[in-house]
Amino acid sequence: MALYKVEICGVDTSKLPMMNAKQSAELLERYKGGDGDAREELINGNLRLVLSVIQRFSNRGEPMDDLFQVGCIGLIKAIDNFDLSHGVRFSTYAVPMIIGEIRRFLRDSNQIRVSRSLRDTAYRALQTRNALAAKLNREPKLSEIAKELDMKEEMIVFALEAIQDPVSMFEPVYHDDGDAIFVMDQIMDETVSEAQWIDNIAIEQGIKKLSEREQKILRMRFFDGKTQMEVSSEIGISQAQVSRLEKNALRSMRRHV
């Protein structure tokens, strides 16, 4: 099925409604309060979000109709599991859920087969990780997951790696107002230290010309080796905003250095 086909699963994609963050938040409030109609509105209002996600999987050889249906399952799971108290935009939570559902579908239909026992171990580890995250209110350590499952850490790592698809470092995982967040933006670079930056006087002078927030973001990212998600959590802004400020700061530094 062609990528630019207007109709997917009987839905005219050119007529899909646009739902902003404020509308989603209001409908989520209604749905969590017991309004079943609000859930239906949320699904229909976010189908365009599903469409934008499945397009990045268009080169996998799977029918777009199938990917769209699977993506809708991820959207529904996101709506049902979204916690208003987390204070994040619904789209920020929903996109990874939709991607995860599609990746599971592609893994299960992949010609490269992983043994059933290994796959079961991986899924048990993922379920345990989610349960511990909810219980501890933080990302659980590998040792904690291993202890809960009474398994060796090496076995859990091996099982999880077996079910993963290869991902490009430059694969976009989220878009916000046209600025993409790539896989590489979420990886900590431990090779960059503060000493390396301070030794370069020109770069230090360039940093001083930035705003206080831009300086803080660059120091946390490149001096402390933190991910954009960690920076966004500490500063209190979205990861997309961190990515945008980081890119603007680096562009500004290039002009001064």
Side-chain angles (χ1 to χ4, degrees):
M1 181 172 296
L3 174 61
Y4 301 106
K5 180 183 176 184
V6 174
E7 187 175 290
I8 297 180
C9 295
V11 176
D12 186 347
T13 57
S14 65
K15 296 180 179 179
L16 289 176
M18 295 284 292
M19 181 169 289
N20 58 39
K22 182 179 179 181
Q23 291 172 318
S24 293
E26 291 173 350
L27 287 171
L28 284 164
E29 288 276 7
R30 285 171 47 194
Y31 171 51
K32 298 303 179 181
D35 187 345
D37 292 336
R39 182 175 185 265
E40 193 70 23
E41 288 185 56
L42 276 166
I43 295 172
N44 292 328
N46 283 282
L47 291 179
R48 189 177 291 272
L49 183 64
V50 175
L51 182 65
S52 69
V53 171
I54 68 171
Q55 288 179 353
R56 71 186 66 177
F57 296 96
S58 61
N59 62 345
R60 298 300 186 93
E62 296 289 340
M64 292 297 283
D65 282 14
D66 292 350
L67 295 180
F68 187 74
Q69 292 181 61
V70 174
C72 287
I73 294 174
L75 171 64
I76 293 171
K77 288 183 178 180
I79 292 171
D80 291 342
N81 293 293
F82 185 70
D83 190 339
L84 293 167
S85 66
H86 287 168
V88 299
R89 290 172 57 176
F90 173 69
S91 60
T92 303
Y93 177 80
V95 167
M97 291 283 285
I98 296 169
I99 291 175
E101 198 67 31
I102 293 173
R103 288 198 183 282
R104 278 191 290 275
F105 168 75
L106 292 174
R107 280 198 302 266
D108 291 342
S109 60
N110 200 321
Q111 291 182 354
I112 302 176
R113 299 298 178 183
V114 178
S115 71
R116 180 61 180 271
S117 61
L118 202 58
R119 192 163 58 242
D120 288 346
T121 297
Y123 291 155
R124 284 177 58 203
L126 291 173
Q127 290 172 349
T128 302
R129 173 257 173 203
N130 293 335
L132 286 174
K135 179 181 178 181
L136 302 174
N137 200 28
R138 62 172 172 79
E139 187 70 21
K141 298 178 181 178
L142 177 61
S143 58
E144 293 172 326
I145 298 174
K147 182 178 179 181
E148 191 75 14
L149 292 173
D150 192 22
M151 291 183 178
K152 292 182 178 180
E153 295 180 23
E154 295 83 356
M155 177 57 71
I156 294 176
V157 172
F158 182 68
L160 290 175
E161 288 181 347
I163 65 171
Q164 295 300 316
D165 287 334
V167 178
S168 168
M169 293 285 286
F170 297 94
E171 178 178 346
V173 295
Y174 181 60
H175 290 267
D176 185 16
D177 298 330
D179 291 323
I181 295 176
F182 299 94
V183 172
M184 65 178 298
D185 293 328
Q186 298 180 309
I187 298 176
M188 181 184 301
D189 185 359
E190 298 179 348
T191 65
V192 181
S193 67
E194 184 172 1
Q196 291 172 301
W197 282 70
I198 294 178
D199 287 342
N200 192 323
I201 298 175
I203 293 180
E204 185 65 25
Q205 290 176 340
I207 290 178
K208 291 179 180 178
K209 295 181 182 296
L210 304 176
S211 68
E212 183 177 344
R213 184 161 68 168
E214 288 175 333
Q215 289 186 42
K216 185 174 183 179
I217 289 174
L218 289 189
R219 291 187 184 280
M220 292 173 70
R221 283 281 288 140
F222 300 108
F223 292 1
D224 302 333
K226 294 186 177 182
T227 65
Q228 287 188 348
M229 185 63 75
E230 291 172 331
V231 174
S232 69
S233 176
E234 187 165 329
I235 294 181
I237 59 178
S238 70
Q239 184 179 350
Q241 288 176 294
V242 171
S243 176
R244 187 158 50 244
L245 287 168
E246 178 183 315
K247 290 180 175 67
N248 289 339
L250 292 174
R251 279 196 294 267
S252 179
M253 283 186 61
R254 292 190 187 101
R255 291 195 296 269
H256 295 302
V257 177

